[in-house]
Amino acid sequence: MPVVRPAQTLAPDSAPSPADLAGMVSRMSEVSPPLSVRVERSSSTITVQVNGEIDTATSPELERLVRQACNDDARAIVELDLSGVGFIDSSGLRALVVTQQAITESGGSLRVVRPSSQVERLLELTGLGETLLGSDRRG
């Protein structure tokens, strides 16, 4: 279990230095909840079920695991089940887009299925809903 250090306090009228910001981000990533990924294969589809939070600390691992799941099949059809994702930030969105592009370039496809309400809302607000959700929209 990571060691959590007390947050550094800054004077109200001072801006944090780059070193202060780096330390704050480092401490935040130390307390991120774990990401759980389960891969299921059928004859035509690879389903990747994700649980947890997709953020700066966990998005590189998600990218790696999804790409690893597709290594044997360049033309993989990947369904990314995000029903168990309670939080996603901009680095998580980036991971989804970059992973989708890589899979598409190799002849496969990736789409988000069963997004949690938080994920679906963020995808719609950012304009990524049509690209990542396709027909798996609630509204």
Side-chain angles (χ1 to χ4, degrees):
M1 185 160 154
V3 175
V4 179
R5 296 174 192 84
Q8 180 177 1
T9 57
L10 302 171
D13 57 345
S14 69
S17 72
D20 291 334
L21 290 174
M24 289 176 202
V25 169
S26 174
R27 282 189 296 279
M28 287 188 315
S29 67
E30 290 174 355
V31 295
S32 289
L35 187 69
S36 164
V37 176
R38 189 176 78 203
V39 177
E40 295 178 6
R41 296 175 187 274
S42 72
S43 60
S44 62
T45 307
I46 299 170
T47 301
V48 180
Q49 185 173 11
V50 183
N51 292 293
E53 296 185 356
I54 307 173
D55 58 18
T56 303
T58 60
S59 59
E61 182 70 359
L62 177 62
E63 274 186 70
R64 186 186 69 75
L65 291 170
V66 173
R67 288 182 189 203
Q68 181 180 355
C70 301
N71 275 346
D72 297 335
D73 186 1
R75 298 190 181 278
I77 298 171
V78 179
E79 292 186 343
L80 197 57
D81 181 341
L82 301 183
S83 59
V85 174
F87 175 81
I88 184 169
D89 68 7
S90 60
S91 62
L93 290 176
R94 179 199 167 281
L96 297 180
V97 171
V98 167
T99 303
Q100 183 190 47
Q101 288 173 342
I103 291 171
T104 301
E105 287 172 5
S106 68
S109 67
L110 179 141
R111 72 184 182 106
V112 172
V113 298
R114 295 176 289 284
S116 66
S117 58
Q118 296 90 338
V119 170
E120 184 172 24
R121 179 166 159 65
L122 187 58
L123 292 175
E124 293 297 343
L125 286 172
T126 58
L128 292 170
E130 188 172 322
T131 303
L132 291 169
L133 291 171
S135 62
D136 202 48
R137 294 173 157 179
R138 295 170 210 230

